[in-house]
Amino acid sequence: MAISLKSTLGTQVREIRRARGLTQEALAEQLEVSPRYLAGVERGERNLTLDSVDALAEQLGVEARSLLG
């Protein structure tokens, strides 16, 4: 079974967020989204627009493509 792109993105976001020492709450505040929404992203439950992926990558200080595997 192939791993979905949403799951890959969520895993990458969680790993980078933790490596940066950020809580879900802190990153969610920076992104101006709810912590619940960010948790859904990290669990691979949310469909993000490409603009959202770009914004998330910018806040994490990484290239957007690195979030996609």
Side-chain angles (χ1 to χ4, degrees), residues 2 4-5 8-10 17 24 30-32 34 36 42 45-46 49 51 54 58 60 63 67 69:
S4 75
L5 192 55
T8 298
L9 175 87
R17 174 184 58 76
Q24 282 183 336
Q30 292 174 7
L31 293 167
E32 298 179 355
S34 73
R36 185 176 182 160
E42 289 187 359
E45 299 172 352
R46 300 285 182 179
T49 66
D51 288 340
D54 283 339
E58 185 176 332
L60 291 171
E63 291 286 327
L67 297 178

Side-chain angles (χ1 to χ4, degrees), residues 46-65:
R46 300 285 182 179
N47 284 319
L48 299 178
T49 66
L50 293 177
D51 288 340
S52 295
V53 173
D54 283 339
L56 188 52
E58 185 176 332
Q59 281 297 329
L60 291 171
V62 297
E63 291 286 327
R65 73 187 81 187

Side-chain angles (χ1 to χ4, degrees), residues 3-19 24 27 38-46 48 56 60 66-69:
I3 297 174
S4 75
L5 192 55
K6 291 188 299 185
S7 293
T8 298
L9 175 87
T11 299
Q12 291 295 100
V13 168
R14 182 182 309 108
E15 288 177 4
I16 294 168
R17 174 184 58 76
R18 287 178 175 169
Q24 282 183 336
L27 181 57
L38 182 59
V41 169
E42 289 187 359
R43 288 190 305 269
E45 299 172 352
R46 300 285 182 179
L48 299 178
L56 188 52
L60 291 171
S66 72
L67 297 178
L68 302 175

